Amino acid sequence: MSEMNELDGLAAAADGVDGQVAANAPQAVQAAQEEAMVMTMADTNGRAVAGVLEMAAPLIEPLYPSVAAVYTPDVCAQVGGALGPVLAKYGIDLGEWGGKYKEELTALFVCVPVALATVKAIKEDIAARTPAEPGEGGAQAGAAT
C-alpha cells in the first residue's frame, strides 16, 4: 500500500510539473523566438551598416582621399558589429530598407560619384582659367593645381 501512495505522490508531482511547463511554455517559446529575431536583426543590421560604409568610403574618397585609409573592410565590419545590436534594440531593421528603398539607394550610389567627379572637374577648370598671382611662379603654377 505504501508503494501506491508513493506512486500516487510521484504522479501528482509530475502532473504539477507538467502543468507549470505547459503554462510557461508559450511564454518561453515566444521569448526565445523574440530573442532569435533580435539576434537575426542585429546580424542583418551589422552587415548592412558595414556594407553601406564600405560603399560610402569610395564615394567620399575623391573629395577626402584620406577616408579610404580609415574605412577599411575590417573597420567597417567592427562598426557594423557594434551598431547592429543597438539598431535592433530600438526595432530598426535595416534589412527592410534594402527592399523598401532599393531604387533610392541604387540611385544614390550611382549618382554621388558622378556628382563628386563633376564638382572636382569644375574646380579644376576654374583653377586652370584663374591667372596665377605674380608671387606664385607664373601661369604654369596656377595651371598645375
Side-chain angles (χ1 to χ4, degrees):
M1 193 84 155
S2 154
E3 286 180 25
M4 285 301 269
N5 286 340
E6 283 182 43
L7 288 176
D8 288 340
L10 288 174
D15 286 342
V17 169
D18 287 344
Q20 287 176 342
V21 169
N24 292 329
Q27 294 168 350
V29 168
Q30 183 178 1
Q33 288 173 340
E34 288 173 1
E35 183 177 339
M37 185 177 79
V38 167
M39 291 305 294
T40 300
M41 189 186 310
D43 291 340
T44 299
N45 287 343
R47 286 191 306 276
V49 167
V52 166
L53 291 175
E54 285 183 32
M55 289 188 288
L59 296 177
I60 298 169
E61 187 177 0
L63 291 178
Y64 303 102
S66 300
V67 169
V70 175
Y71 288 92
T72 64
D74 186 48
V75 168
C76 293
Q78 289 177 13
V79 171
L83 291 178
V86 174
L87 295 170
K89 177 181 177 180
Y90 293 102
I92 298 169
D93 185 357
L94 295 181
E96 291 178 358
W97 286 32
K100 285 182 182 178
Y101 303 106
K102 181 180 179 182
E103 297 80 7
E104 290 86 346
L105 293 171
T106 300
L108 175 74
F109 287 112
V110 170
C111 295
V112 167
V114 173
L116 292 176
T118 302
V119 168
K120 183 178 178 185
I122 291 170
K123 285 182 178 182
E124 289 171 358
D125 287 344
I126 291 170
R129 283 188 238 146
T130 305
E133 294 294 322
E136 292 182 12
Q140 292 292 15
T145 56

